[in-house]
Amino acid sequence: MKIIMLGAPGAGKGTQAKMIAEKYGIPHVSTGDIFRANIKNGTELGMEAKKYMDQGLLVPDELTVKILLDRVAQEDCRNGYVLDGFPRTIPQADVLDKALTELGDQIDYAINVDVPDENIVKRMGGRRACLSCGATYHIEHVPPKAEGICDACGQELVLRDDDKPETVQNRLNVYHEQTQPLIEFYSAKEVLKTVDGTQDMKDVFAAVTAILD
Ligand code: ADP
Ligand code: ADP
Ligand code: ZN
């Protein structure tokens, strides 16, 4: 099963993608996590990506497409995957589509997690991230057991630089301009499913599994 998560930054794509990955036994592939791991390790890719990420801009398609195609070509992705944060532009979606078509394959579901902008800004200020293992928390909705510490790996949690309010607004503008057109793109392919992302996360997941089961 090959699944794409669509939705604004902070809509809950990552949260749902992790639950999908666990329930259906497929890898969770997040381009944002791959970039952040590269930044943390000080790679050339990481340093290049950081310039854009810190401003709330998209990393250029050339860089992003290459890392994504390399990742989904790995053995563990053979039976499917859930993509979180890719594609984010029409050109990225076209490249993925062509790569899959060449393999006689296609995306099964594009799940749009729908959350209005007003809710997003509130949510992002409360998000805390573990840059070691990629786990995500929320100070109100998903607090860690010990304040500021990752339950999974014990590392310190951070407010991502790009989750600060000024950058969140830029990211929302970028989302509306460059990413939202993908809703129409996947709707035309008849794989689009929309869920109400303002619900409690377990209710969102129930709506997701009702689609996938
Ligand atoms: P969120 O989950 O909050 O939407 P991500 O972790 O997916 O954020 O992405 C963080 C940042 O990484 C984005 O704002 C962007 O700069 C970069 N990024 C991630 N995925 C892509 C992509 N597919 N294309 C371009 N840039 C990307
Ligand atoms: P995305 O990957 O779309 O950027 P995340 O999954 O990281 O979004 O979620 C953004 C923030 O909102 C996180 O702090 C997360 O814990 C929280 N969150 C996710 N889903 C919900 C929900 N349904 N209700 C309230 N908060 C949520
Ligand atoms: Zn961790």
Side-chain angles (χ1 to χ4, degrees):
M1 191 154 54
K2 297 189 173 63
I3 304 166
I4 288 173
M5 304 305 292
L6 294 176
K13 300 180 299 294
T15 300
Q16 297 299 322
K18 282 173 194 154
M19 292 195 271
I20 293 171
E22 192 173 341
K23 175 162 186 201
Y24 298 95
I26 50 178
H28 165 221
V29 175
S30 156
T31 39
D33 283 352
I34 296 174
F35 288 138
R36 281 185 290 278
N38 275 274
I39 292 172
K40 187 162 178 274
N41 296 326
T43 70
E44 210 169 305
L45 169 68
M47 291 193 290
E48 186 61 21
K50 187 171 172 15
K51 291 193 234 160
Y52 300 92
M53 292 169 74
D54 282 350
Q55 299 177 68
L57 299 174
L58 296 183
V59 178
D61 287 342
E62 307 80 71
L63 280 181
T64 309
V65 159
K66 188 180 176 312
I67 62 155
L68 189 277
L69 291 181
D70 285 351
R71 178 66 189 91
V72 298
Q74 285 171 24
E75 179 63 23
D76 65 329
C77 286
R78 223 171 36 153
N79 294 322
Y81 42 77
V82 49
L83 299 187
D84 163 19
F86 186 100
R88 259 182 158 95
T89 64
I90 296 279
Q92 289 181 14
D94 276 328
V95 171
L96 177 63
D97 198 47
K98 291 205 180 77
L100 287 171
T101 305
E102 268 173 34
L103 300 169
D105 207 347
Q106 61 177 48
I107 291 297
D108 299 297
Y109 299 100
I111 300 177
N112 177 29
V113 184
D114 189 29
V115 177
D117 288 10
E118 309 84 81
N119 305 38
I120 297 287
V121 180
K122 276 186 228 145
R123 260 192 208 179
M124 299 295 244
R127 173 155 71 179
R128 293 294 179 273
C130 173
L131 298 181
S132 265
C133 76
T136 303
Y137 301 84
H138 190 282
I139 51 177
E140 282 167 38
H141 307 297
V142 196
K145 291 197 184 79
E147 196 183 321
I149 304 293
C150 178
D151 293 350
C153 76
Q155 295 293 307
E156 207 175 325
L157 300 177
V158 298
L159 172 65
R160 279 167 41 185
D161 285 335
D162 61 343
D163 278 353
K164 296 181 176 148
E166 12 1 316
T167 314
V168 169
Q169 193 53 56
N170 286 345
R171 292 166 67 199
L172 279 172
N173 296 343
V174 166
Y175 168 75
H176 290 300
E177 274 169 36
Q178 304 196 54
T179 308
Q180 203 167 314
L182 293 175
I183 292 176
E184 189 47 45
F185 180 97
Y186 287 107
S187 172
K189 291 189 180 299
E190 297 180 353
V191 294
L192 184 78
K193 304 281 176 188
T194 296
V195 295
D196 175 1
T198 64
Q199 308 170 86
D200 205 88
M201 57 190 75
K202 64 176 195 323
D203 296 326
V204 180
F205 191 57
V208 168
T209 54
I211 293 163
L212 302 179
D213 279 344

